[in-house]
Amino acid sequence: MLIVETIILIISLLIVANIISHYFVSIPASLIQIVAGVIAAVTINVKISVNTEWFLLVFIAPILFNDGNRFPKKELWKLKGPIMGNAIILVIVSTVVGGALVKFLMPSLPWATAFTLVAVLSPTDPIAVQSIAKKAKLPDKLMHLISGESLINDASGLICFKYAVAATVTGAFSLANATIDFFYIAIIGALVGAVMIWIFNGVRLYLINQGIDDSILHAIIQILIPFIIYYVAEDVFHVSGVVAVVIAGILNISSSRTTGAFSPEIRLVTSRTWDMLVYLLNGFVFVLLGIEIPFAMEELIHNQSMNTIKALGFAFVIWVMLTVIRFLWSYFYSTFFERSDRTDFNFFSKARFYYCLMSGISGVRGAVTMVAILSLPFVTDSGAAFPARTLLLFIASAVIIYSLIGATILIPLITKNSAPITYRGNAINTDDDDDEDVDVDNSADDTEVVSTNPNTLSVEKANRIVIEKTINKLREENKNGRDPVYTTVIAEYVFNLHNIQLQSDGPNPISKKRIKGKKDAELWDICFNCELEAIEELYAANEISDDAYQTAVKRIEKYKRDLVKHHYNQTVEFFVAYFKRTVKEISKVIHIPFTKREEVVQYNREAIKISIAGSRRALEKLRELEETDSEIAYDNLLYLFQRHYEERLELLQGRRRNHSEQFNIDKVNLEVNALSFQRAFVLDLLEQGRISRATANTLRKNINYSEEVINYDI
């Protein structure tokens, strides 16, 4: 009963604090939550003891998994140098230098305890400055750097923190053993996270493939993933659960709308569920911090060698020290490692100075630091109290408050702009106004319409009609028929229409290996013949070698033989294809010595030339069929196949990876317009009496989900 009462109390404090924060938008909500915890501790004498193990499991696992899942993956590789430098080298430098300074400030503090304090302060919280990034015009590169650094230094900092705590608790520390153990638990932890998320991703995709697309079910599975991975890594394999959940988050199937296997409803519900969970977890952390502060202050008051004022001063010095170290490191790295022209050396640059200054101040400490500091054990192995636990808690919380206030005040001053500040989990999109078109009236009148009008369409048939009308509308606007934005969006709609017509198990793309119908087989046979013709021409002109020719011909002929093999075990085929996709993705990153020669050849220059020639020939044939008005006979499959080969050409020629920012903006705008077309067509069907009001509500709800996902991504 005590646990339930505590949870209700903290949630109540969190709600009150967040309501107040709406009236004081310039004050970080986290600071108000801390104050709420302080007031609760002082007025009603609330005191909460937390267990280290479950605290790490409940708070660390989901927060880091969510950070990894939402990290901009493309930027991780582009900024790998500065990210790894900030996340590893800067953490080590800060820990060594900071630990020495803490020992100098507080000589009575053991060395291990001093390093523990600085290690726990190393993880940064990028969400604390993301809300002001747009209005304050922080550089995109800086924001990506902060996000990537935070993701990695959460892991590296917490591992260092773990060793520092272990050294304090046991009284023994071996640098050699710690280094070996560090790499072991980090590497094996990463492997555990990668393998387990691969399994979870496969299970979720298989459920979709089997038609199990309940959005609540998938949201629950998604929420459970980090807890299971953290537990298995820590308790089964005895490796770093922190590293495991970070890697799992990075490799997790994203909730963005580019993940075509999941419906907009699943993606939206999952994203919103994560928002709520992380929002609560962060609120819990800061309220708990506020509850702990008065008791830490009380002990400091009775401490003969340390008082509250002195502790606040030490905390301020430590925050300034960490900011200066971060600034100096950023300036050093950008000066010596990021110069575009190595011959033109300029040590001082005003622009670089302000960039590095913003980088230093942006190193805000937040939820992960608080989770770690609150997890400090109360006693050592000898039974003695953990050295200066309340002092460490107080100083860490003060540094967090200093960093939040510093970023709130100084960043807008540097950029000459201002905006409210938020933190992890408090950056929920609030631009999703309810659509007025949705009629939630599901009264008995709707049932009567359905039962008395035999001409009303089912949801599936009405959805197909709406999509067909939307495709036609988009084609009318795409006058030249070759606008890449229109062709991309139309292809997505044709995908959906094709799967509806075939009553597919899921929105899977067309596949050479899984023929869904006679018309698929006919078109694939035509395309394969075209590819074979292109291969023969290249070989006759001596433009490809015998090996490349034989490999390509065998591959196409195998596909042609498979056209007549329609019988397959769906489950076996799914997991075989999933495994092969994984091997293919891994082979792109590292070269596997035992890779078959045929698999290596497909990546060389001749294989690319063959694929380009075959795709062009097949595309010409498909367009020729389109001009002979055969499209109706193939139920829009011609357009689908055309887009398939167009995307293959874009990928082979390097155009697909380099879509301009304007292309992405135009695509989003067109997707929003297409959804408005769908709403209009739903209204037409309703006014014509062809669908019931309940069916119209269902269709509108699906449209709203799609629009919400677009808005959420933006």
Side-chain angles (χ1 to χ4, degrees), residues 52-62 64-65 158 162 192-193 196 200 224-246 248 371 375:
T52 302
E53 295 299 326
W54 73 257
F55 202 64
L56 290 172
L57 172 66
V58 171
F59 290 94
I60 285 287
L64 295 189
F65 181 83
L158 288 175
K162 179 179 179 180
V192 170
M196 292 196 66
F200 278 115
L224 285 176
I225 287 175
F227 298 105
I228 296 175
I229 291 178
Y230 186 92
Y231 175 80
V232 170
E234 289 282 345
D235 288 17
V236 177
F237 292 95
H238 305 291
V239 293
S240 175
V242 172
V243 174
V245 294
V246 167
V371 169
S375 68

Side-chain angles (χ1 to χ4, degrees), residues 551-619:
T551 300
V553 169
K554 287 180 181 179
R555 177 170 49 85
I556 299 298
E557 288 181 345
K558 181 180 182 300
Y559 289 148
K560 285 176 65 67
R561 289 194 302 269
D562 290 341
L563 288 176
V564 297
K565 298 178 181 179
H566 301 313
H567 302 289
Y568 58 88
N569 184 292
Q570 191 175 13
T571 300
V572 173
E573 189 221 11
F574 172 84
F575 284 108
V576 168
Y578 182 63
F579 180 78
K580 288 183 177 179
R581 273 200 313 272
T582 304
V583 173
K584 185 176 180 180
E585 291 298 321
I586 294 175
S587 66
K588 291 180 181 179
V589 180
I590 58 174
H591 174 68
I592 303 177
F594 51 84
T595 302
K596 293 182 180 179
R597 192 166 182 275
E598 292 81 3
E599 295 175 349
V600 176
V601 169
Q602 67 181 344
Y603 294 104
N604 68 16
R605 187 175 302 172
E606 288 184 330
I608 293 176
K609 182 186 294 185
I610 290 171
S611 295
I612 291 176
S615 298
R616 287 175 175 169
R617 181 63 60 85
L619 198 53

Side-chain angles (χ1 to χ4, degrees), residues 14 64 131 160 278 328 342 440 549 584 609 612 623:
L14 176 60
L64 295 189
S131 65
C160 292
V278 175
L328 294 176
R342 300 287 178 180
V440 296
Y549 170 76
K584 185 176 180 180
K609 182 186 294 185
I612 291 176
R623 288 172 179 169

